[in-house]
Amino acid sequence: MEEATSTIPYDNLLKILLIGDIGSEKRRLLQTYMGEEEFSDTTTLGLDYKLKDVMYGTKRVKLQLWDTAGQERFRSVTASYYRGAHGALLVFTLTKETSFVGLNYWLDEIENNAPVKFQVILVATGYDDESLQVRLDIAEQFAQEKNLKLVKCIVTDPASVESTFSVIIETIMSSWEGSQSVSESIRVDSTPTERDDKCC
């Protein structure tokens, strides 16, 4: 398999945001997807930005993955990151009711800032935890009311995380193709290229 470098051409570039309240586990979700062996619980300050190459069928796709800060003081800053974005994983955890309540704020942000054809997948973490504060059926009802696809994810399980990212990639790509099918496979092509940008 050929080595991924920034000079290798790609067929599509996808800008995908990870959004949600602080404590929603979106940072760990991204760390697992990037293959990081040591997890950091450090709160994202402003922005964490990484690159990754994947294959969508026969197409080489470069991902720009933006983990936006969930803290109140950064929310006005992150609005600009919607510019040019193609989709988002809206992440909350069933173990913290506040992260579920905060979903309405993020959906309003998306409505006010996201471009046309912006795709959103709702991601529920913590469902494998015993200390649940939000029932899964309530989350499923919320997703249905908001016309969102709900994906359950174990953020420390690489297979579960990769499946979650595959859903948003396939949803974006299939919307471009005007197809109802999202059956094409997504696979990691090689060791990802990444960069950390943090602002305060």
PDB file of all heavy atoms in Angstrom, residues 80-93:
ATOM      1  N   SER A  80     -17.171  30.520  12.887  1.00  0.00           N
ATOM      2  CA  SER A  80     -16.493  30.718  11.601  1.00  0.00           C
ATOM      3  C   SER A  80     -16.008  29.401  11.007  1.00  0.00           C
ATOM      4  O   SER A  80     -15.762  29.319   9.803  1.00  0.00           O
ATOM      5  CB  SER A  80     -15.308  31.671  11.774  1.00  0.00           C
ATOM      6  OG  SER A  80     -14.349  31.122  12.657  1.00  0.00           O
ATOM      7  N   TYR A  81     -15.874  28.353  11.810  1.00  0.00           N
ATOM      8  CA  TYR A  81     -15.362  27.086  11.311  1.00  0.00           C
ATOM      9  C   TYR A  81     -16.384  26.337  10.461  1.00  0.00           C
ATOM     10  O   TYR A  81     -16.049  25.370   9.795  1.00  0.00           O
ATOM     11  CB  TYR A  81     -14.907  26.196  12.474  1.00  0.00           C
ATOM     12  CG  TYR A  81     -13.773  26.813  13.274  1.00  0.00           C
ATOM     13  CD1 TYR A  81     -13.750  26.726  14.655  1.00  0.00           C
ATOM     14  CD2 TYR A  81     -12.726  27.486  12.639  1.00  0.00           C
ATOM     15  CE1 TYR A  81     -12.726  27.310  15.391  1.00  0.00           C
ATOM     16  CE2 TYR A  81     -11.706  28.067  13.362  1.00  0.00           C
ATOM     17  CZ  TYR A  81     -11.703  27.971  14.744  1.00  0.00           C
ATOM     18  OH  TYR A  81     -10.696  28.544  15.464  1.00  0.00           O
ATOM     19  N   TYR A  82     -17.641  26.783  10.491  1.00  0.00           N
ATOM     20  CA  TYR A  82     -18.649  26.166   9.633  1.00  0.00           C
ATOM     21  C   TYR A  82     -18.425  26.525   8.170  1.00  0.00           C
ATOM     22  O   TYR A  82     -18.895  25.818   7.282  1.00  0.00           O
ATOM     23  CB  TYR A  82     -20.053  26.620  10.044  1.00  0.00           C
ATOM     24  CG  TYR A  82     -20.536  26.034  11.349  1.00  0.00           C
ATOM     25  CD1 TYR A  82     -20.327  26.698  12.548  1.00  0.00           C
ATOM     26  CD2 TYR A  82     -21.203  24.812  11.380  1.00  0.00           C
ATOM     27  CE1 TYR A  82     -20.769  26.174  13.750  1.00  0.00           C
ATOM     28  CE2 TYR A  82     -21.651  24.275  12.574  1.00  0.00           C
ATOM     29  CZ  TYR A  82     -21.437  24.966  13.763  1.00  0.00           C
ATOM     30  OH  TYR A  82     -21.870  24.432  14.944  1.00  0.00           O
ATOM     31  N   ARG A  83     -17.717  27.616   7.929  1.00  0.00           N
ATOM     32  CA  ARG A  83     -17.508  28.084   6.554  1.00  0.00           C
ATOM     33  C   ARG A  83     -16.752  27.030   5.747  1.00  0.00           C
ATOM     34  O   ARG A  83     -15.671  26.599   6.120  1.00  0.00           O
ATOM     35  CB  ARG A  83     -16.731  29.408   6.547  1.00  0.00           C
ATOM     36  CG  ARG A  83     -16.662  30.053   5.179  1.00  0.00           C
ATOM     37  CD  ARG A  83     -15.938  31.395   5.237  1.00  0.00           C
ATOM     38  NE  ARG A  83     -16.588  32.317   6.155  1.00  0.00           N
ATOM     39  CZ  ARG A  83     -16.034  32.760   7.277  1.00  0.00           C
ATOM     40  NH1 ARG A  83     -14.814  32.344   7.617  1.00  0.00           N
ATOM     41  NH2 ARG A  83     -16.673  33.606   8.050  1.00  0.00           N
ATOM     42  N   GLY A  84     -17.350  26.591   4.650  1.00  0.00           N
ATOM     43  CA  GLY A  84     -16.713  25.609   3.787  1.00  0.00           C
ATOM     44  C   GLY A  84     -16.796  24.183   4.279  1.00  0.00           C
ATOM     45  O   GLY A  84     -16.251  23.270   3.649  1.00  0.00           O
ATOM     46  N   ALA A  85     -17.490  23.952   5.396  1.00  0.00           N
ATOM     47  CA  ALA A  85     -17.609  22.590   5.931  1.00  0.00           C
ATOM     48  C   ALA A  85     -18.691  21.809   5.201  1.00  0.00           C
ATOM     49  O   ALA A  85     -19.656  22.381   4.682  1.00  0.00           O
ATOM     50  CB  ALA A  85     -17.909  22.638   7.423  1.00  0.00           C
ATOM     51  N   HIS A  86     -18.513  20.506   5.163  1.00  0.00           N
ATOM     52  CA  HIS A  86     -19.458  19.635   4.453  1.00  0.00           C
ATOM     53  C   HIS A  86     -20.376  18.849   5.389  1.00  0.00           C
ATOM     54  O   HIS A  86     -21.426  18.367   4.962  1.00  0.00           O
ATOM     55  CB  HIS A  86     -18.683  18.656   3.566  1.00  0.00           C
ATOM     56  CG  HIS A  86     -17.796  19.331   2.583  1.00  0.00           C
ATOM     57  ND1 HIS A  86     -16.426  19.444   2.767  1.00  0.00           N
ATOM     58  CD2 HIS A  86     -18.074  19.973   1.418  1.00  0.00           C
ATOM     59  CE1 HIS A  86     -15.897  20.099   1.748  1.00  0.00           C
ATOM     60  NE2 HIS A  86     -16.861  20.429   0.918  1.00  0.00           N
ATOM     61  N   GLY A  87     -19.961  18.702   6.634  1.00  0.00           N
ATOM     62  CA  GLY A  87     -20.788  17.941   7.551  1.00  0.00           C
ATOM     63  C   GLY A  87     -20.213  17.950   8.952  1.00  0.00           C
ATOM     64  O   GLY A  87     -19.130  18.495   9.195  1.00  0.00           O
ATOM     65  N   ALA A  88     -20.953  17.328   9.865  1.00  0.00           N
ATOM     66  CA  ALA A  88     -20.513  17.324  11.260  1.00  0.00           C
ATOM     67  C   ALA A  88     -21.003  16.073  11.975  1.00  0.00           C
ATOM     68  O   ALA A  88     -22.063  15.525  11.658  1.00  0.00           O
ATOM     69  CB  ALA A  88     -21.025  18.562  11.989  1.00  0.00           C
ATOM     70  N   LEU A  89     -20.202  15.661  12.934  1.00  0.00           N
ATOM     71  CA  LEU A  89     -20.638  14.696  13.930  1.00  0.00           C
ATOM     72  C   LEU A  89     -21.049  15.507  15.151  1.00  0.00           C
ATOM     73  O   LEU A  89     -20.224  16.182  15.768  1.00  0.00           O
ATOM     74  CB  LEU A  89     -19.508  13.724  14.292  1.00  0.00           C
ATOM     75  CG  LEU A  89     -19.014  12.817  13.170  1.00  0.00           C
ATOM     76  CD1 LEU A  89     -17.840  11.969  13.652  1.00  0.00           C
ATOM     77  CD2 LEU A  89     -20.144  11.918  12.663  1.00  0.00           C
ATOM     78  N   LEU A  90     -22.338  15.484  15.470  1.00  0.00           N
ATOM     79  CA  LEU A  90     -22.856  16.190  16.636  1.00  0.00           C
ATOM     80  C   LEU A  90     -22.871  15.183  17.787  1.00  0.00           C
ATOM     81  O   LEU A  90     -23.680  14.267  17.814  1.00  0.00           O
ATOM     82  CB  LEU A  90     -24.255  16.725  16.347  1.00  0.00           C
ATOM     83  CG  LEU A  90     -24.999  17.412  17.493  1.00  0.00           C
ATOM     84  CD1 LEU A  90     -24.152  18.509  18.125  1.00  0.00           C
ATOM     85  CD2 LEU A  90     -26.324  17.972  16.988  1.00  0.00           C
ATOM     86  N   VAL A  91     -21.941  15.365  18.725  1.00  0.00           N
ATOM     87  CA  VAL A  91     -21.654  14.341  19.721  1.00  0.00           C
ATOM     88  C   VAL A  91     -22.223  14.720  21.089  1.00  0.00           C
ATOM     89  O   VAL A  91     -22.094  15.867  21.535  1.00  0.00           O
ATOM     90  CB  VAL A  91     -20.130  14.117  19.847  1.00  0.00           C
ATOM     91  CG1 VAL A  91     -19.838  12.928  20.757  1.00  0.00           C
ATOM     92  CG2 VAL A  91     -19.506  13.889  18.459  1.00  0.00           C
ATOM     93  N   PHE A  92     -22.840  13.753  21.753  1.00  0.00           N
ATOM     94  CA  PHE A  92     -23.269  13.914  23.136  1.00  0.00           C
ATOM     95  C   PHE A  92     -23.072  12.576  23.835  1.00  0.00           C
ATOM     96  O   PHE A  92     -22.870  11.547  23.195  1.00  0.00           O
ATOM     97  CB  PHE A  92     -24.742  14.348  23.219  1.00  0.00           C
ATOM     98  CG  PHE A  92     -25.720  13.253  22.870  1.00  0.00           C
ATOM     99  CD1 PHE A  92     -26.388  12.548  23.865  1.00  0.00           C
ATOM    100  CD2 PHE A  92     -25.973  12.921  21.544  1.00  0.00           C
ATOM    101  CE1 PHE A  92     -27.284  11.537  23.548  1.00  0.00           C
ATOM    102  CE2 PHE A  92     -26.870  11.910  21.215  1.00  0.00           C
ATOM    103  CZ  PHE A  92     -27.520  11.213  22.227  1.00  0.00           C
ATOM    104  N   THR A  93     -23.082  12.608  25.156  1.00  0.00           N
ATOM    105  CA  THR A  93     -22.947  11.360  25.900  1.00  0.00           C
ATOM    106  C   THR A  93     -24.185  11.107  26.743  1.00  0.00           C
ATOM    107  O   THR A  93     -24.750  12.041  27.340  1.00  0.00           O
ATOM    108  CB  THR A  93     -21.693  11.364  26.792  1.00  0.00           C
ATOM    109  OG1 THR A  93     -21.667  10.153  27.557  1.00  0.00           O
ATOM    110  CG2 THR A  93     -21.681  12.558  27.742  1.00  0.00           C
TER     111      THR A  93
END
